[in-house]
Amino acid sequence: MTDSATPSDFIAACHTVIGAAHVLTDAHDTAPYLTDWRHRYTGAACAVLKPATTDEVAQLVRIALAHRIALVPQGGNTGLAGGATPDATGRQAVLSLGRLNRVRALDIHNNTITVEAGVVLAEVQARARDADRLFPLSLAAEGSCTIGGNLATNAGGTGVLRYGNARELCLGLEVVTPQGEIWDGLRGLRKDNTGYDLRDLYIGAEGTLGIITAAVMKLHPLPAARVTALAALASPHAALDFLALAQRCAGSLLTGFELMSDFCLQLVSNHFPQLRYPFDERHAQIVLLELSDAESDEHARALFERMMETALDEGLLEDAVVAESLAQSRAFWDLREHIPLAQAEEGLNVKHDIAVPISRIGTFIDETDAAIAAAVPGARMVTFGHLGDGNLHYNVQAPDDGDAKAFLAQYQTALNRIVYESVHRHHGTISAEHGLGQLKVDEAARYKSPTELALMRAVKNALDPLGLMNPGKVLR
Ligand code: FAD
C-alpha cells in the first residue's frame, strides 16, 4: 500500500467500480473464499471482489496497484495446491472471477468456443455438446472448476492421452496485466508464429503474471460412441504392457487409460457402498479404458473385444469387463472419480501429483513403495492416476489404527523427500497437473536448476515488478 492509503480507501474505491454488493468484507460472506478445497490452508483478505466484466477487472487491478494491495485470483476454488487462498496478513484481496460467466462465441467452422474465465467447465462441455462438438477437458471437479482456473493451472484430467491438457486446448487468451491493461489475444488461430508465445506464458502461471478473463478453446468432433472397460492386472508393469498393446490396437481411438490400485477401490467401496468392487475376486491393479469411436458403438465394442482377447492370450490380463450400457460406463467412471473423495472421507493423507516418463512408472512404484514401507511403518499407499500420461496420484494415507494427525506431523516431510527424490531420480516432475500453489513452492525451488529459477524470476519481475499478482505462489 502507499503510505497514506488503507484497505478502507481501497475498498471504497472498489465500491465505485462494482458496487458494494460485489465487494465482500463481512467474515460470514468471505469465509468460503478463504479456505481451500482440501481445508489445508485458511487465509484472510481485506475484501473479496466480484467483478462481472473484463473492464471491471482491469479497473480493480489498477486500484489495487495504486493501493499496493496484492490480488489472489480465484475461480471455482477447487485447486489442490493452495494457489487460490490468500496469506494470513489480511492485506491481500481475493479476485473472484465467477461472475465473468458468459459464453461469448461459438464458431462451428473454426471448431472453437470463446468463454469468459468464470464459466464452469461442465457448462463449456454442455455448450459444446449442444453444438454437436466435444470439449474434451474433463476432471472430477468439472461441476465447480472454471476455465480460468483450468488454464491458470494447466489442468489435465482424464482426456489428456488423446486431446492434451488445458494448454493444448487453448488457442487464445484475454488477460488483464498487473498494470491493469487488457491484452486481447483472443485469436482462434492454429498457426501463429509472430513472436514470443504470451498465451503459453500465462497458461500454468497460477495467476502470478496476470488475470485471465477469457479464452478461445478448441472443440473436437463429438464421438459417435464411447465405450468403457475395466481390466484387472497383476502389477503396474503389466498395465504398462497393456497400455502399449491398447495403443497399438486402438491408436487415437484410445481416449482414457486410468490406473487404480486395489486399495483405492477398497476405499471407494468402504465409503460409498453403492460403488461396489467391480470383479468377483480382488486384483492388484485395475485399469479403466475408454475408446471414443467416430463410427459406431458396435465398431468400438468389436475393437475392444479383439484387444482384450489379445491381452488375455498374451497373459497380460487377469480379467476384464466391457460396459454394457451408458449407466454401466458411468458407474466405472464413478469408481475412478470417487477415489479422491473416498480418501478425504478416510482422513488425513499426503498427496503427490507426480509424473515420470511412462516407461518408468512400474519401476518408480516398486522402488518408492519399498522405500516408504521401510521408512514409514503402517503407511497405506493410494496409487492411481492417468497412466497413459505418466501421471500418478501417488498418495499416502495414515495407518487406519492410529492418530492420523500425529502420523502426518511425524512423517510428512520424510514421505515427501522419499517420493520427490525418487521422482527426481526418474527424471520426473513433482507437479504434473495441480500446479505449485503455495503447497509445493519450496519443493520446486529445490528441484529446479538455478538457471531455470532465474529465468522464471526474470519473467515474473518483468511482468509484475511490484509482486502484486498472487504473491507467494509458484515462486518466492
Ligand atoms: P481455483 O482453485 O480457483 O484456482 C487455481 C489457481 O488458478 C490459483 O492459483 C488461482 O489463483 C488461479 N486462477 C484461478 N482463476 C484464474 C484466472 N481467471 N486468472 C488467473 N489465475 C487464476 N486437476 C487436474 O488437473 N486434473 C484432475 O484430474 C483433477 N481432479 C480433481 C478432482 C477433485 C475432486 C478436485 C477437488 C480437484 C481436482 N483437480 C484436478 C484440481 C482442480 O480442479 C484444478 O486445478 C482446476 O483447474 C482448478 O480450477 P478452479 O477454477 O477451481 O481454480
Side-chain angles (χ1 to χ4, degrees), residues 244-262:
L245 185 146
Q247 286 178 317
R248 208 168 61 232
C249 293
S252 64
L253 301 191
L254 184 68
T255 46
F257 200 94
E258 300 285 310
L259 183 73
M260 308 177 274
S261 73
D262 177 60

Side-chain angles (χ1 to χ4, degrees), residues 37 72-80 83-84 97 117 138-141 144-158 206-207 210-213 336-337 340-341 386 393 433-434 437 470 473:
W37 189 84
V72 180
Q74 191 175 100
N77 199 16
T78 67
L80 298 176
L97 280 306
S138 178
L139 42 120
S144 336
C145 66
T146 62
I147 283 293
N150 299 149
L151 287 164
T153 57
N154 187 24
T158 52
E206 301 182 53
I211 317 288
I212 296 170
T213 49
R336 165 64 182 85
E337 286 167 5
L341 306 175
H386 317 294
H393 300 306
E433 59 176 12
H434 296 162
N470 214 2
K473 318 292 166 49

Side-chain angles (χ1 to χ4, degrees), residues 326-362:
L326 273 182
Q328 198 179 12
S329 176
R330 188 60 251 156
F332 289 177
W333 275 110
D334 275 349
L335 288 172
R336 165 64 182 85
E337 286 167 5
H338 277 72
I339 298 171
L341 306 175
Q343 265 207 278
E345 290 291 320
E346 182 75 2
L348 289 175
N349 55 77
V350 184
K351 290 196 193 303
H352 303 108
D353 161 41
I354 63 99
V356 294
I358 296 170
S359 50
R360 289 176 178 245
I361 281 199

Side-chain angles (χ1 to χ4, degrees), residues 106-250:
L106 206 149
D107 184 339
I108 294 296
H109 289 118
N110 200 37
N111 274 314
T112 50
I113 186 166
T114 304
V115 291
E116 293 185 343
V119 179
V120 169
L121 172 55
E123 170 71 11
V124 185
Q125 297 166 343
R127 293 294 285 266
R129 212 166 28 244
D130 290 347
D132 208 24
R133 294 291 184 279
L134 173 74
F135 181 61
L137 189 66
S138 178
L139 42 120
E142 64 199 22
S144 336
C145 66
T146 62
I147 283 293
N150 299 149
L151 287 164
T153 57
N154 187 24
T158 52
V160 175
L161 178 64
R162 162 72 179 82
Y163 301 104
N165 49 22
R167 173 174 279 122
E168 286 162 84
L169 292 168
C170 180
L171 292 177
L173 286 183
E174 179 186 81
V175 171
V176 172
T177 70
Q179 292 68 39
E181 287 156 10
I182 298 170
W183 171 53
D184 180 352
L186 286 176
R187 296 186 276 262
L189 303 175
R190 283 164 177 81
K191 291 186 169 182
D192 178 14
N193 285 350
T194 53
Y196 303 137
D197 196 330
L198 299 177
R199 176 196 61 199
D200 274 1
L201 202 53
Y202 287 111
I203 296 174
E206 301 182 53
T208 60
L209 301 178
I211 317 288
I212 296 170
T213 49
V216 183
M217 306 300 295
K218 277 185 209 170
L219 300 177
H220 286 264
L222 202 56
R226 272 184 176 169
V227 181
T228 312
L230 292 175
L233 305 104
S235 71
H237 295 276
L240 278 183
D241 290 338
F242 184 44
L243 172 64
L245 185 146
Q247 286 178 317
R248 208 168 61 232
C249 293

Side-chain angles (χ1 to χ4, degrees), residues 16 48 60 67 76 105 158 160 206 217-218 255 257 270 277 288 319 364 388 420 471-472:
T16 64
V48 174
L60 292 175
H67 290 78
T158 52
V160 175
E206 301 182 53
M217 306 300 295
K218 277 185 209 170
T255 46
F257 200 94
N270 287 350
Y277 195 82
L288 189 165
D319 204 348
F364 168 84
Y420 294 148

